[in-house]
Amino acid sequence: TEYFLKRSLNTLPAQIAYNYGLEEIFRFATDRLHLDLDPDNDISYSPLCVGGTTEGPSALNLANAYLPYGNGGKYYKATLIKKATDMREGIDIIDNETEREYEQAVSEETAYVMNRLLEKVISEGTGTSAHIWNLKFSTGSVNLDASYGNWGYNVRLVSDK
């Protein structure tokens, strides 16, 4: 598995999709990782194995789907603004810091293993250009959409190479 991930070889995802079934992979991607996929057009090998979706998820949705692997398997809805306070009134207008709800997208063990595998892509594989000094990153890629390409993430930051 590490060999295929470090080199971004898509034959492994295709084999996994073949073994588990496209419907099961689609259900996991949409129900557990909340990827915005089209049920009429994206239940096939290209969308599910290499990211060749009809319209595709947004960059935020895609990054959000990877974050459980670096967050103990917990899926939190992504936020762009952590907190905004009206300084005159001292009232929080937006507060995404306290008691955010999450769901367990994958087990802690699965998240740990996947995170270590994805880190290898940054440290030794095709994602080395996304490395930022002194910051531990994991990576993801969407091969068919040049607007996404390779990118790295940690729990607090997403970086496009």
Side-chain angles (χ1 to χ4, degrees):
T1 303
E2 182 180 320
Y3 174 85
F4 288 90
L5 283 172
K6 284 193 320 190
R7 289 163 183 78
S8 295
L9 301 176
N10 296 315
T11 53
L12 180 63
Q15 188 65 49
I16 291 170
Y18 178 80
N19 290 339
Y20 284 93
L22 293 170
E23 291 80 13
E24 183 63 27
I25 301 296
F26 182 86
R27 193 171 21 260
F28 176 80
T30 56
D31 293 351
R32 303 292 288 282
L33 300 177
H34 301 276
L35 278 169
D36 295 330
L37 300 175
D38 181 350
D40 295 324
N41 297 305
D42 292 339
I43 303 178
S44 70
Y45 286 97
S46 177
L48 297 176
C49 300
V50 296
T53 59
T54 305
E55 292 186 26
S58 68
L60 181 62
N61 180 237
L62 187 61
N64 207 169
Y66 272 91
L67 287 179
Y69 297 120
N71 201 22
K74 295 174 182 150
Y75 176 92
Y76 290 90
K77 186 174 181 190
T79 58
L80 296 176
I81 299 173
K82 194 173 187 179
K83 190 171 188 174
T85 304
D86 180 331
M87 298 308 285
R88 289 187 209 154
E89 303 292 327
I91 300 169
D92 291 336
I93 300 166
I94 298 171
D95 184 358
N96 289 316
E97 288 185 310
T98 56
E99 298 186 36
R100 292 180 60 202
E101 292 184 24
Y102 72 87
E103 61 186 77
Q104 197 71 37
V106 297
S107 71
E108 285 186 46
E109 295 81 10
T110 297
Y112 177 83
V113 170
M114 279 298 296
N115 197 22
R116 294 308 168 271
L117 290 170
L118 293 170
E119 283 175 0
K120 294 283 189 176
V121 178
I122 295 281
S123 63
E124 303 171 25
T126 58
T128 55
S129 63
H131 176 75
I132 296 176
W133 178 81
N134 206 23
L135 233 135
K136 196 170 207 177
F137 267 82
S138 297
T139 188
S141 68
V142 176
N143 297 338
L144 297 181
D145 186 337
S147 67
Y148 292 156
N150 286 322
W151 47 274
Y153 75 90
N154 75 13
V155 183
R156 300 190 180 277
L157 176 69
V158 174
S159 169
D160 186 2
K161 73 171 188 165

